[in-house]
Amino acid sequence: MKISPSVLSADFSKLDRELEKMWNSGAEWIHYDVMDGLFVPNITFGAPVIKCLKDKTKAVSDVHLMIEDPIKYIEDFANAGADYITFHIESKSDIKQTIQKIKDCGCKAGLTLRPKTDINKLLPYLEMIDLVLIMTVEPGFSGQSFMADQVEKIKIVRQKAKELNLDLIINVDGGINTENINIVSKAGADVVVSGSTVFKSEDPAKTIAELKKNAVV
Ligand code: DX5
Ligand code: ZN
């Protein structure tokens, strides 16, 4: 299990040191929550911030776009150093064209969906993408409670990927803690996003080690 700390829960006055701390504590990925105040009722940061932070660690950069029209900004995020660019199927950009654009820019493509959206709407794209992000909170804010009813979606995607023989990463985002990580892991997750759990911890290395230990199926 890989851990992807979400920058949204970091202290924004010292982001570089916050990310270095996570990398030194055993996090292999870093999750960037990009929000535009339209797709979700919150505004965070854009590509210039990711560009400044990308080289502070060797972590995989996991960019989660919660924006209305992602296709317009794919090049910017690719140029900022994104490894994975994940966007919402509920956004207004054409899904296939956006996936293609991400690939043309040399990045790996991810798709995600809101908790209320039917997983069957995402499955037709599985063969075109590298990652599925299952949301276990409503997108918009960190620190919300884990929605256990979304775990079924992880199982469905894992099963479908197996049937199609796909090398697909399943990433799970929202309300993850040292207890529920085991359910998520058993359901088939490869990566979990962790905002408040790792950033609010007094000892992130210990918390990350505990997350990984509890994830073991
Ligand atoms: C919610 C974001 C999440 C969030 C995770 O819109 O996509 O990545 O920051 O934070 P926690 O782990 O606190 O739920
Ligand atoms: Zn996220």
Side-chain angles (χ1 to χ4, degrees), residues 31-35 39 50 62-67 84-88 112-113 133 135 139-140 173 193:
H31 187 82
Y32 295 93
D33 284 309
V34 176
M35 306 185 190
F39 186 78
I50 299 174
D62 168 26
V63 176
H64 177 192
L65 298 180
M66 285 159 273
I67 63 178
Y84 286 82
I85 302 181
T86 298
F87 66 100
H88 276 260
T112 187
L113 72 179
L133 179 74
M135 293 294 308
D173 184 10
V193 175

Side-chain angles (χ1 to χ4, degrees), residues 37-185:
L38 295 166
F39 186 78
V40 286
N42 194 7
I43 300 177
T44 56
F45 49 80
V49 173
I50 299 174
K51 193 174 179 129
C52 288
L53 294 171
K54 163 69 185 166
D55 293 330
K56 299 292 173 191
T57 70
K58 292 197 173 67
V60 171
S61 48
D62 168 26
V63 176
H64 177 192
L65 298 180
M66 285 159 273
I67 63 178
E68 284 264 298
D69 204 2
I71 198 164
K72 281 192 196 161
Y73 302 97
I74 300 303
E75 258 179 274
D76 291 349
F77 287 102
N79 291 336
D83 294 308
Y84 286 82
I85 302 181
T86 298
F87 66 100
H88 276 260
I89 61 170
E90 305 90 353
S91 71
K92 70 177 192 196
S93 301
D94 180 87
I95 296 176
K96 286 188 180 162
Q97 282 176 16
T98 308
I99 294 170
Q100 195 54 50
K101 178 103 188 180
I102 295 172
K103 291 182 173 174
D104 290 346
C105 288
C107 299
K108 306 243 194 224
L111 263 184
T112 187
L113 72 179
R114 295 183 190 274
K116 287 191 191 80
T117 305
D118 187 340
I119 191 66
N120 286 307
K121 292 198 173 146
L122 187 147
L123 298 180
Y125 304 99
L126 281 194
E127 284 167 293
M128 300 177 64
I129 58 178
D130 304 286
L131 178 148
V132 171
L133 179 74
I134 301 294
M135 293 294 308
T136 44
V137 295
E138 199 57 55
F141 301 91
S142 60
Q144 304 178 77
S145 303
F146 177 76
M147 297 166 76
D149 60 350
Q150 299 300 305
V151 172
E152 193 57 29
K153 289 181 178 171
I154 307 171
K155 294 184 188 164
I156 293 169
V157 173
R158 183 44 76 214
Q159 177 60 29
K160 194 77 186 163
K162 205 171 158 192
E163 278 168 34
L164 297 170
N165 204 17
L166 301 176
D167 190 13
L168 184 80
I169 290 180
I170 302 182
N171 193 357
V172 180
D173 184 10
I176 300 291
N177 59 36
T178 52
E179 276 149 38
N180 58 31
I181 193 164
N182 188 257
I183 316 166
V184 160
S185 165

